[in-house]
Amino acid sequence: MVLPVTVRVRRVRTHPEPLPLPRYETALAAGMDLRADIDGELTLGPMERAAVPTGLALALPPDYEAQLRPRSGLALRHGITLLNSPGTVDADYRGEVKVLLVNLSQEPFTLRRGERIAQLVVSPVSRVSLLELELLETTERGEGGFGSTGR
Ligand SMILES: O=c1ccn([C@H]2C[C@H](O)[C@@H](COP(=O)(O)OP(=O)(O)OP(=O)(O)O)O2)c(=O)[nH]1
Ligand SMILES: [Mg+2]
């Protein structure tokens, strides 16, 4: 399959053993797995969090974003998830992409260099202009929300 959207990527760290660039792990995977670009190991104790470097800076095309999402295997097996899931990478951000991992388990979790810690999903975004009005058109739902239709 031809992938029509190119995302420019730059390595922001130097290391004698560079990590492979993220890639789609299966033919139709929605996300590319991101790896921890750390030296050695990093241990997250219970309820501890860290901004884990990926070693990568992106230049997304205008009107695209990248979402950082948890890997379900890490979440299920180890309680490791993203504190701000989904993390948002803006198209104008040129800094290093970091993954805000948190350990929600009761056991320490040790991350090693190159481990896959999250997935990056690139999507088009709509940008809108706001039009301020005194009245909005009515709907059947109206102001009902937060369980108004029942459990
Ligand atoms: O998990 C994340 C979330 C964000 N970012 C980077 C990319 C994003 O474009 C920038 C700002 O993120 P966000 O808007 O979520 O954070 P903020 O607290 O609102 O910071 P800012 O005031 O810089 O927008 O930080 C990451 O590397 N990882
Ligand atoms: Mg922001």
Side-chain angles (χ1 to χ4, degrees):
M1 186 200 286
V2 178
L3 300 175
V5 177
T6 300
V7 175
R8 290 166 168 74
V9 58
R10 184 174 82 83
R11 293 179 193 269
V12 301
R13 292 169 187 275
T14 49
H15 192 277
E17 289 170 40
L19 301 175
L21 279 183
R23 57 163 181 258
Y24 295 107
E25 301 284 336
T26 64
L28 297 180
M32 295 176 168
D33 287 348
L34 294 173
R35 294 171 186 271
D37 197 343
I38 52 177
D39 276 328
E41 296 185 341
L42 172 71
T43 296
L44 286 180
M47 297 307 290
E48 241 190 297
R49 62 182 186 263
V52 181
T54 63
L56 303 173
L58 304 177
L60 293 159
D63 302 321
Y64 281 81
E65 64 156 343
Q67 294 167 18
L68 303 175
R69 300 190 193 164
R71 292 190 68 210
S72 19
L74 286 180
L76 178 64
R77 285 188 211 105
H78 302 288
I80 296 293
T81 188
L82 273 59
L83 199 49
N84 58 338
S85 182
T88 303
V89 181
D90 301 286
D92 52 2
Y93 178 70
R94 294 292 175 272
E96 182 177 19
V97 173
K98 294 188 178 171
V99 176
L100 305 190
L101 288 187
V102 62
N103 180 358
L104 300 184
S105 79
Q106 279 149 6
E107 311 295 331
F109 178 78
T110 297
L111 200 61
R112 290 170 193 85
R113 174 172 175 77
E115 234 176 286
R116 289 177 289 142
I117 50 172
Q119 49 190 323
L120 180 94
V121 175
V122 176
S123 319
V125 283
S126 305
R127 282 163 53 84
V128 301
S129 57
L130 294 178
L131 174 62
E132 187 178 356
L133 297 170
E134 292 294 325
L135 284 174
L136 300 176
E137 58 271 35
T138 59
T139 66
E140 194 179 327
R141 171 183 285 275
E143 296 184 22
F146 310 102
S148 70
T149 64
R151 271 186 73 172

